[in-house]
């Protein structure tokens, strides 16, 4: 039992932190935001090819590094700290679904391409599959406008859909760094996965942890930046950071963030070890991290005053990402309701009769 | 990063479980499930001695002083199994978790050899003489004085809110030993036997109706010159280091006890139907998350060694658990509804969960209030400017 990074994990963390800090600058993120696809292609290329970050958790036979959820969380946290405009989450969903539920051929064909960054993947829920064809409309597909391969969980199965088989429309999305797209599939040909439920389960569990890690990184950035501002902004002849009303809020942000850090790494570790409480941990991490991020991003705006409300300042990027992390793949309330069931609130209390 | 336990660690667990089972189904069955800090003090004194005899009292300490040199994992395991077995709260938790580690860190070899084994054997119970009527959050404002008289220190003054002093054999006292000194300067950390004519302990009734804490008066009380920890005038450093131990392994043990409390809340909610209320379900889920995270927060801080980010993160732990338990108390009473406000017997006795509701108001006060802890986080972890201090002279 040792709940801290191994030397190798610490090194990965160091590397990805400086990579994203140097590369995923505010200027680059904003440039990507201006487009409908919200994608920094150059950053994606170097993340996938130079650092191998996209295939990190993939088995080596598919061109990955065979690492676990802990390492994936480290990457997501570092990217989240910079609100990087990358389809990391959406690709991870597709990758996890394929690994867990794809046929041998599907895995061999797609996984190396996804790992190298050559193909961007995404995941959506909706529509209906009938005789190898997908009908209907799939909303809220993250980074859908740049994805070429979609895993679609539909009525009647989970299937692979390639971009040219359907009509993909970018949506005006509140979080422009992770914009949604809409898919209209009018009888598009799809290929069923071998094990749909396993694919969904794997994608969800990994997705929840990835979102929680993204939120952890983002919340920490909100705190770091607000602390720096509170030390330099002077009002009433004092740095505003000397006022208790400000100090206590910043302290509360740190308290929440440290709990979230425990939650994210617990969830990742439990997933890697196949621990019996892995599912509960993933729900816990997603619920808590989303709340923490919204709390910290909201405070970031408040404690910056007027400047925090401007487009020019980065606060709104964090605020919007926080909202997206909260709603995507289940709200905090939904995850807590799952936990309520897991702790047995639905059963009657038999031992009480004794 | 690794959370699972090794086969050796699991073997250690089995040994602990077997021992606890044997004792708590056998000779100490009457103590199983006790949660009040003041209930059955004589029996719990016997329990402390039994733990000591079997060397389960202070397993993290060096063997030389009665410990087992237990690894962190073993300490976690024992704390978990101790709580799972329904063993009673440690009557000597201040000795085991605060006085002991401080003596280990600051004591001379002579002091360690003399003072630690009786704690490990469960023979000497300790309490903490920090707070005074005018020195609470502003602990450095203590007025209790002490001076040398031949081979002794003589102590004059008053402490307040001294938990468990009525059961204790020793008290550690922060006293002003340099006349005219102010604030953290000129203080000394003295170890004082309680059973002497110069010390009077008067219990104070608290919100629960119970009296766990006391006023402690020193009126020419004496302790041998050898019973000072650290140098004269350097007591503040010792006092502050001790507060650091409050976030040590003891927090893990405490967190395991919280598991039993949350389980009791969940049982109550299932029994009376509150578990069907969506808002209650949300709050129970939040409590479950918070509880789990206390464990992993503590493990992270203990696994991470000292220094840097982990050290800073550890400052958040007090607020984390205190706020969690206060919310649990509120949840408990809300789950019970009006029934939770009806007591048992004539002398203001309430059930476990109602008492938890009342008691948990203290968690955000003792050991430093949440406000003070936020100041500490803001200044030490986040590097914000110090708050201005008035001079009250
Ligand atoms: C159940 C219980 C057990 C205890 N056991 C012990 C014990 O064994 N030994 C011992 O020595 N003490 C013990 N204490 C005392 C405890 O440590 C003090 O009560 C605590 O430190 C607060 O001090 P105070 O009561 O004097 O309140 P005060 O310091 O007077 O505080 C009053 C209010 O003012 C706020 N406040 C004060 N200063 C500031 C500031 N700078 N910024 C913002 N807000 C501020 C506080 O947060 C609080 O809300 C115990 C207390 C309780 C409740």
């Amino acid at each position: 039992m040792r709940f801290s990074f191994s030397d190798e994990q610490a090194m990965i963390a160091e590397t990805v932190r400086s990579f994203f800090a140097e590369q995923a600058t505010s200027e680059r993120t904003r440039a990507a935001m201006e487009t409908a696809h919200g994608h920094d292609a150059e950053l994606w290329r170097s993340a996938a090819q130079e650092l191998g970050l996209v295939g990190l958790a993939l088995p080596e036979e598919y061109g990955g590094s065979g690492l676990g959820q802990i390492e994936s969380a480290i990457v997501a946290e570092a990217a989240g700290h910079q609100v990087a405009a990358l389809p990391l989450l959406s690709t991870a969903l597709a990758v996890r679904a394929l690994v867990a539920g794809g046929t041998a051929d599907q895995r061999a064909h797609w996984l190396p391409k996804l790992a190298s960054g050559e193909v961007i993947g995404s995941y959506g829920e909706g529509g209906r599959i009938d005789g190898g064809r997908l009908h209907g409309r799939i909303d809220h597909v993250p980074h859908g406008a740049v994805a070429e391969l979609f895993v679609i969980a539909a009525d009647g199965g989970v299937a692979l859909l390639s971009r040219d088989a359907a009509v993909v429309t970018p949506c005006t999305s509140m979080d422009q760094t992770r914009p949604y797209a809409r898919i209209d599939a009018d009888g598009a040909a799809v290929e069923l996965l071998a094990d749909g439920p396993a694919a969904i389960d794997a994608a969800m569990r990994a997705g929840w942890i990835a979102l929680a890690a993204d939120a952890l990184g983002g919340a920490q950035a909100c705190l770091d930046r607000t602390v720096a501002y509170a030390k330099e902004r002077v009002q009433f002849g004092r740095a505003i950071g000397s006022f208790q009303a400000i100090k206590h809020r910043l302290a509360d942000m740190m308290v929440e963030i440290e709990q979230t850090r425990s939650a994210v790494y617990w969830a990742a570790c439990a997933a890697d070890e196949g621990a019996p409480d892995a599912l509960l941990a993933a729900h816990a991490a997603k619920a808590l991290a989303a709340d923490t991020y919204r709390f910290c991003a909201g405070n970031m705006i408040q404690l910056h005053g007027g400047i925090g409300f401007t487009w020019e300042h980065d606060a709104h990027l964090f605020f919007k990402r926080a909202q997206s992390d909260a709603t995507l793949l289940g709200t905090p309330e939904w995850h807590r309701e799952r936990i309520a069931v897991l702790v047995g609130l639905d059963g009657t209390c038999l031992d009480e009769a004794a | 990063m690794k959370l699972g336990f090794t086969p050796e660690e699991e073997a250690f667990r089995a040994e602990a479980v077997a021992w606890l089972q044997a004792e708590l189904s056998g000779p100490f069955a009457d103590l199983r499930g006790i949660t009040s800090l003041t209930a059955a003090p004589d029996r719990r004194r016997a329990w402390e001695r039994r733990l000591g005899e079997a060397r389960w009292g202070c397993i993290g300490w060096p063997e030389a002083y009665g410990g087992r040199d237990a690894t962190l994992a073993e300490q976690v395991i024992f704390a978990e199994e101790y709580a799972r077995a329904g063993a009673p709260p440690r009557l000597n938790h201040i000795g085991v978790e605060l006085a002991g580690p401080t003596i280990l860190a600051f004591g001379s070899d002579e002091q360690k050899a003399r003072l630690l084994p009786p704690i490990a054997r469960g023979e000497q119970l300790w309490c903490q003489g920090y707070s005074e009527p005018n020195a609470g959050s502003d602990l450095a404002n203590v007025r209790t004085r002490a001076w040398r008289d031949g081979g002794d220190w003589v102590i004059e003054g008053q402490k307040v809110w001294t938990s468990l002093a009525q059961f204790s054999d020793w008290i550690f006292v922060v006293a002003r030993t340099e006349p005219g000194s102010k604030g953290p300067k000129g203080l000394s950390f003295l170890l004082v036997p309680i059973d002497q004519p110069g010390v009077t302990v008067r219990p104070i009734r608290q919100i629960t109706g119970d009296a766990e804490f006391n006023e402690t008066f020193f009126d020419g009380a004496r302790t041998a010159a050898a019973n000072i920890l650290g140098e004269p005038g350097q007591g503040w450093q010792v006092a502050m280091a001790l507060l650091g131990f409050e976030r040590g392994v003891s927090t893990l043990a405490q967190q395991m006890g919280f598991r039993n409390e949350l389980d009791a809340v969940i049982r109550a909610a299932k029994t009376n139907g509150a578990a069907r209320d969506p808002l209650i379900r949300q709050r129970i889920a939040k409590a479950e998350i918070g509880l789990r995270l206390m464990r992993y927060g503590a493990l992270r801080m203990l696994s991470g060694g000292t220094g840097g980010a982990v050290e800073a993160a550890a400052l958040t732990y007090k607020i984390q658990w205190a706020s969690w338990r206060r919310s649990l108390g509120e949840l408990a009473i809300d789950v019970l509804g009006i029934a939770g406000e009806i007591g048992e017997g004539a002398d203001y006795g309430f059930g476990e969960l109602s008492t938890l509701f009342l008691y948990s108001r203290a968690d955000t006060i003792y050991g430093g209030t949440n406000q003070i802890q936020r100041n500490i986080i803001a200044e030490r972890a986040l590097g914000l400017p110090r708050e201005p201090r008035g001079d009250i002279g």
Side-chain angles (χ1 to χ4, degrees), chain A residues 151-200:
Chain A
V151 174
I152 305 291
D155 246 0
V158 181
L160 292 178
L161 168 75
S162 76
R163 173 183 193 91
D164 359 297
V167 180
V168 178
T169 315
C171 306
T172 300
S173 304
M174 187 180 277
D175 177 3
Q176 296 169 288
T177 66
R178 186 196 281 145
Y180 292 111
R182 195 181 83 212
I183 298 176
D184 288 289
D186 188 11
V190 290
E191 228 184 87
L192 282 180
L193 297 190
D195 187 344
I200 297 180

Side-chain angles (χ1 to χ4, degrees), chain A residues 244 248, chain B residues 94 127-133 135-138 160-164 206 212-213 359 362 365-372 375 387:
Chain A
Q244 242 186 26
H248 284 197
Chain B
I94 294 174
C127 63
Q128 175 178 31
Y130 273 19
S131 304
E132 298 183 6
S137 300
D138 189 8
V160 74
W161 322 130
T162 327
S163 296
L164 304 172
Q206 39 201 60
E212 165 203 342
F213 58 34
Y359 188 83
I365 297 174
Y366 65 72
T369 67
N370 272 15
Q371 285 75 31
I372 295 302
N375 287 346
E387 70 174 314

Side-chain angles (χ1 to χ4, degrees), chain A residues 1-4 9 231 244 247-248 252 258-259 261-262 266 273 288 333 336-337 344 346-347 352, chain B residues 1-4 267 270-271 281-282 285 293 296-297 300 303 313 320 374-375 379 382-383 385 387:
Chain A
M1 198 278 313
R2 190 180 152 80
F3 194 36
S4 58
Q9 287 162 345
K231 287 180 188 169
Q244 242 186 26
K247 287 164 89 165
H248 284 197
D252 283 338
E258 290 305 330
Q259 294 186 59
R261 196 178 307 286
S262 303
W266 165 41
E273 292 182 12
L288 182 72
E333 290 72 25
R336 282 193 290 268
E337 173 55 33
D346 275 350
E352 202 60 19
Chain B
M1 193 174 276
K2 185 91 194 73
L3 289 173
R267 264 199 311 280
K270 285 165 76 175
T271 306
R281 294 169 74 84
Q282 287 286 314
L293 295 184
Y296 293 103
R300 193 154 62 83
S303 304
Q320 184 186 344
R374 287 190 185 101
N375 287 346
E379 291 170 13
L382 301 175
E387 70 174 314

Side-chain angles (χ1 to χ4, degrees), chain A residues 13-344:
Chain A
E14 197 45 51
T15 309
V16 294
R17 246 179 248 145
S18 49
F19 170 77
F20 283 110
E22 279 160 28
Q23 306 284 319
T25 57
S26 174
E27 295 72 39
R28 299 254 312 248
T29 297
R30 283 166 179 274
M33 257 165 67
E34 300 298 319
T35 65
H37 49 70
H39 172 53
D40 184 337
E42 178 53 30
L43 184 63
W44 179 248
R45 200 196 50 75
S46 41
Q49 284 164 24
E50 286 160 32
L51 289 180
L53 298 186
V54 183
L56 205 68
L58 260 185
E60 286 169 34
E61 51 176 315
Y62 301 120
S65 320
L67 296 170
Q69 296 272 12
I70 297 172
E71 289 78 9
S72 302
I74 289 172
V75 173
E77 180 185 343
H81 193 270
Q82 301 297 118
V83 267
L86 289 181
L88 262 178
L89 172 86
S90 42
T91 300
L93 292 171
V95 164
R96 295 281 176 177
L98 265 169
V99 170
T103 64
D105 282 352
Q106 287 165 341
R107 290 206 297 258
H109 181 73
W110 289 110
L111 289 174
K113 295 191 169 110
L114 288 160
S116 68
E118 186 190 331
V119 169
I120 292 171
S122 191
Y123 178 93
E125 284 171 11
R128 174 174 48 82
I129 294 175
D130 229 338
R133 303 210 164 256
L134 175 68
H135 303 271
R137 152 178 166 167
I138 293 105
D139 281 312
H140 315 143
V141 181
H143 267 112
V146 278
E148 281 153 80
L149 177 72
F150 302 93
V151 174
I152 305 291
D155 246 0
V158 181
L160 292 178
L161 168 75
S162 76
R163 173 183 193 91
D164 359 297
V167 180
V168 178
T169 315
C171 306
T172 300
S173 304
M174 187 180 277
D175 177 3
Q176 296 169 288
T177 66
R178 186 196 281 145
Y180 292 111
R182 195 181 83 212
I183 298 176
D184 288 289
D186 188 11
V190 290
E191 228 184 87
L192 282 180
L193 297 190
D195 187 344
I200 297 180
D201 188 57
M204 289 304 104
R205 289 185 186 224
W208 296 332
I209 298 173
L211 283 167
D214 182 82
L216 169 64
Q220 181 70 54
C222 292
L223 176 61
D224 295 345
R225 294 186 188 208
T226 311
V227 164
Y229 187 68
K231 287 180 188 169
E232 96 204 359
R233 174 72 175 168
V234 173
Q235 291 291 287
F236 300 98
R238 283 160 60 182
I240 58 168
S242 69
F243 296 115
Q244 242 186 26
I246 306 274
K247 287 164 89 165
H248 284 197
R249 274 217 202 186
L250 292 168
D252 283 338
M253 286 162 73
M254 181 167 174
V255 171
E256 295 304 317
I257 287 169
E258 290 305 330
Q259 294 186 59
T260 302
R261 196 178 307 286
S262 303
V264 169
Y265 287 104
W266 165 41
C269 215
D272 283 343
E273 292 182 12
D277 57 2
L279 180 59
L280 193 151
H283 286 304
K286 170 69 164 79
L288 182 72
D291 281 346
T292 297
Y293 197 1
R294 285 197 290 199
F295 174 70
C296 291
N299 274 331
M300 182 186 199
I301 294 177
Q302 179 64 26
L303 302 187
H304 276 78
I307 188 82
F309 191 69
T310 63
W311 190 268
E312 196 177 312
H313 195 274
D314 283 346
H316 72 105
L317 306 190
F318 292 99
F319 188 73
K320 292 165 183 172
R321 175 65 71 82
Q323 185 56 33
S324 165
D325 282 352
T327 42
L328 194 52
L329 310 187
T331 62
E333 290 72 25
W334 182 83
H335 285 281
R336 282 193 290 268
E337 173 55 33
R338 303 318 302 154
I339 289 175
V341 173
L342 286 175
V343 302

Side-chain angles (χ1 to χ4, degrees), chain B residues 307-358:
Chain B
V310 174
E311 197 94 310
L315 295 174
T316 64
Y317 197 74
K318 169 79 204 312
I319 293 188
Q320 184 186 344
W321 73 254
S323 307
W324 179 87
R325 191 144 179 262
R326 190 172 69 186
S327 309
L328 182 72
E330 291 162 357
L331 173 60
I333 199 82
D334 289 347
V335 161
L336 295 178
I338 274 190
E341 296 171 43
I342 307 296
E344 299 157 357
D347 71 344
Y348 208 78
F350 286 86
E352 183 197 347
L353 294 183
S354 303
T355 303
L356 169 69
F357 165 65
L358 296 173

Side-chain angles (χ1 to χ4, degrees), chain B residues 3-158:
Chain B
L3 289 173
F5 293 101
T6 65
E8 292 76 30
E9 287 160 353
E10 290 301 343
F12 174 85
R13 183 189 301 276
E15 186 192 343
V17 169
W19 187 82
L20 287 162
Q21 278 305 328
E23 297 295 324
L24 293 164
S25 321
F28 290 96
D30 56 319
L31 295 186
R32 195 171 227 164
I34 281 189
T35 54
S36 153
L37 288 168
T38 53
D42 293 339
R43 287 292 292 148
R44 280 164 65 214
R45 221 187 271 271
W47 171 243
E48 289 291 333
R49 282 194 296 272
R50 181 69 192 117
L51 282 164
E53 239 168 58
R55 282 198 314 118
W56 288 113
C58 304
I59 63 170
W61 294 11
E63 291 199 22
Y65 303 123
R68 287 186 184 228
D69 273 319
T71 62
L72 169 66
E74 289 168 342
Q75 295 175 57
V76 171
I77 288 168
F78 186 70
E80 282 178 342
E81 296 308 332
Y82 187 90
R84 208 191 318 268
R90 298 289 298 271
L91 194 58
N92 199 19
H93 77 96
I94 294 174
V96 173
E97 286 148 14
L98 302 186
T102 310
I103 293 168
L104 263 174
F106 290 93
S108 64
D109 288 344
E110 181 277 324
Q111 288 173 325
K112 290 189 225 175
R114 175 164 56 90
L115 297 166
L116 292 174
I119 300 178
R121 286 197 302 266
E123 288 166 8
Q124 289 178 357
L125 309 191
W126 285 72
C127 63
Q128 175 178 31
Y130 273 19
S131 304
E132 298 183 6
N134 289 310
S137 300
D138 189 8
L139 178 59
N141 193 35
V142 294
R143 303 282 165 83
T144 294
R145 297 178 299 132
W147 61 91
R148 281 294 293 271
D149 178 31
D152 284 347
W153 288 98
V154 182
I155 305 141
E156 195 73 46
Q158 183 197 344

